[in-house]
C-alpha cells in the first residue's frame, strides 16, 4: 500500500525546479564577504550602503580619488575581486545593476566599472565594461567594441550578460541585455586569452590622469546557468475593480394602463444574470524560441497547483486508512 501511495504522489504532484544560480555577490549579507578579496586603499573606498539601492537592502558604493593605487599598478582603482575561475567552454548568465553618481566625471579616457580579467599579469582584460567620455562601452580582447550607449547619471541601469568562455573565436560568444532590452544579439568572439583563466572585478578602475572624484554604485550581482534565474520578474497584473452602473433618476411611477395586464410577479425574467464580457481571455506563451525574448514579452510560471495536489493527497490518505481498517477487521 505504501508503494502505491508513493507512486501516485509522484504522478499527482509536480517536481521541484532546481535553481541554476551559481553565485551571488549582491551585498545582502551587509558586507563584502561574498567576494574573494579587495583592492582598495581604505575601507571608505568600497562601502556597503543602504541608500541608494535597487534590490534588497544593500548596495556597494565604489569611490576613486586620483592617486588611489592599492596594488602599485597602472591606473587608479578600488575594486572587489571574485575568483570565479571560469573554464574554457563554460557558459553563464550574469546580471547586475549599476548607477553612476550625478557628478561622475566626463573625461575622454577609460573608466572601467566591471571587468572579467585574465589571470595573466599584463594587458587589457578580455571583457570590460567601461565609460569613455559620455558613452558606456563593452570591449572584447581590446580589439572589438560591439556595443555602446549614452552615459546616464543618477539612474540604475540593468545589465544581463550571456557569455560562452573560450579562446576560440568560433566557439566563444557574448550576448547583452541593457535595461530590459536585447541590445547585442549573440556575437561569436574570443572571450578568453589562450591558456589563461578568468576572474571578476567589480568597482571602479580608471586612468590616473582623471582628477575629479568618481563614484559608482553596484547592486544585485548574480551568476547563473539558466536564463530564468537572471530575468526580471514581471509584476502581477491587478484586476480592475468593477464599477456598478448608476441607475437612472426616478421620474415617478406612471399610472397603470387599464388595458395592459400587470406582469406576473411569479414568472422569472428570461434575461438571466448579466454576462461579464470584459474578462480577458488567457493566452498561452509562445514556445520554440531559441533566444530568450525581451523582458517586455517573456512570461514564466513556477510552482504547482495546491488545490489539485492537496485534494489528491487527501483522497489517497483516506483510501489508505480504509484499507488499513479493513485489514484490521
Amino acid at each position: 500500500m505504501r508503494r502505491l501511495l508513493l507512486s501516485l504522489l509522484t504522478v499527482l504532484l509536480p517536481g521541484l525546479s532546481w535553481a541554476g544560480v551559481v553565485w551571488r555577490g549582491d551585498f545582502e549579507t551587509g558586507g563584502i564577504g561574498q567576494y574573494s578579496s579587495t583592492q582598495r586603499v581604505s575601507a571608505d573606498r568600497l562601502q556597503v550602503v543602504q541608500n541608494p539601492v535597487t534590490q534588497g537592502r544593500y548596495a556597494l558604493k565604489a569611490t576613486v580619488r586620483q592617486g588611489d593605487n592599492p596594488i602599485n599598478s597602472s591606473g587608479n582603482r578600488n575594486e572587489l575581486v571574485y575568483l570565479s575561475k571560469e573554464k574554457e567552454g563554460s557558459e553563464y548568465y550574469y546580471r547586475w545593476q549599476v548607477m553612476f553618481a550625478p557628478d561622475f566625471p566626463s573625461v575622454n579616457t577609460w573608466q572601467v566599472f566591471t571587468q572579467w580579467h585574465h589571470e595573466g599579469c599584463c594587458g587589457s582584460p578580455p571583457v570590460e565594461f567601461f565609460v569613455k567620455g559620455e558613452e558606456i562601452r563593452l570591449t572584447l580582447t581590446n580589439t572589438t567594441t560591439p556595443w555602446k550607449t549614452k552615459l546616464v547619471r543618477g539612474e540604475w541601469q540593468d545589465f544581463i550578460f550571456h557569455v560562452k568562455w573560450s579562446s576560440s573565436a568560433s566557439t566563444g560568444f557574448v550576448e547583452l541585455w541593457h535595461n530590459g532590452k536585447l541590445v547585442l544579439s549573440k556575437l561569436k568572439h574570443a572571450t578568453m586569452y589562450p591558456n589563461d583563466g578568468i576572474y571578476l572585478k567589480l568597482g571602479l578602475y580608471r586612468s590616473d590622469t582623471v582628477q575629479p572624484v568618481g563614484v559608482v554604485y553596484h547592486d544585485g550581482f548574480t551568476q547563473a546557468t539558466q536564463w530564468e534565474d537572471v530575468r526580471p520578474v514581471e509584476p502581477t497584473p491587478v484586476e480592475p475593480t468593477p464599477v456598478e452602473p448608476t441607475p437612472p433618476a426616478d421620474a415617478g411611477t406612471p399610472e397603470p394602463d387599464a388595458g395592459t395586464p400587470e406582469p406576473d410577479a411569479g414568472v422569472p425574467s428570461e434575461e438571466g444574470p448579466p454576462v461579464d464580457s470584459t474578462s480577458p481571455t488567457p493566452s498561452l506563451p509562445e514556445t520554440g524560441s531559441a533566444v530568450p525574448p525581451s523582458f517586455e514579452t517573456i512570461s514564466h510560471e513556477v510552482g504547482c497547483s495546491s488545490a489539485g495536489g492537496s485534494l489528491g493527497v487527501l483522497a489517497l490518505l483516506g483510501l489508505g486508512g480504509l484499507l488499513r481498517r479493513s485489514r484490521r477487521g
Side-chain angles (χ1 to χ4, degrees), residues 1 322-329:
M1 186 61 188
L322 289 174
L323 291 176
R324 286 196 295 273
R325 285 198 292 271
S326 64
R327 287 184 180 181
R328 289 173 185 162

Side-chain angles (χ1 to χ4, degrees), residues 254-267:
E255 293 293 331
D257 186 352
T260 303
E262 293 289 338
D264 187 353
V267 178

Side-chain angles (χ1 to χ4, degrees), residues 60-214:
L60 177 75
K61 178 183 179 182
T63 304
V64 172
R65 298 176 180 273
Q66 190 175 36
D68 287 354
N69 190 2
I71 61 173
N72 295 319
S73 183
S74 62
N76 296 158
R77 76 183 77 212
N78 289 294
E79 295 179 290
L80 291 173
V81 176
Y82 176 61
L83 300 178
S84 47
K85 295 186 179 296
E86 285 83 349
K87 304 297 183 183
E88 175 80 32
S90 61
E91 183 177 340
Y92 295 105
Y93 290 90
Y94 305 88
R95 184 187 179 196
W96 74 109
Q97 294 81 41
V98 179
M99 184 170 74
F100 300 93
D103 59 352
F104 190 82
S106 178
V107 290
N108 191 29
T109 188
W110 51 273
Q111 300 184 82
V112 178
F113 58 91
T114 306
Q115 59 175 314
W116 279 265
H117 204 282
H118 53 296
E119 293 181 350
C121 69
C122 308
S124 297
V127 175
E128 55 183 335
F129 286 83
F130 64 98
V131 173
K132 184 175 183 181
E134 290 296 308
E135 288 183 342
I136 299 174
R137 299 183 178 185
L138 164 64
T139 295
L140 307 174
T141 61
N142 201 32
T143 60
T144 304
T145 300
W147 173 79
K148 57 186 177 181
T149 190
K150 181 182 177 181
L151 171 64
V152 177
R153 298 172 176 83
E155 296 180 9
W156 285 104
Q157 301 182 58
D158 186 87
F159 294 87
I160 295 181
F161 189 44
H162 181 200
V163 190
K164 185 161 188 178
W165 297 103
S166 178
S167 57
S168 168
S170 61
T171 302
F173 66 75
V174 296
E175 193 174 20
L176 180 66
W177 288 259
H178 179 240
N179 293 339
K181 295 183 179 180
L182 180 64
V183 294
L184 177 62
S185 298
K186 189 176 290 185
L187 171 70
K188 285 190 171 295
H189 199 282
T191 52
M192 301 175 69
Y193 294 132
N195 303 314
D196 210 343
I198 287 288
Y199 63 95
L200 172 70
K201 301 187 76 176
L202 198 73
L204 183 58
Y205 167 48
R206 68 188 196 180
S207 168
D208 56 13
T209 62
V210 182
Q211 297 182 3
V213 176

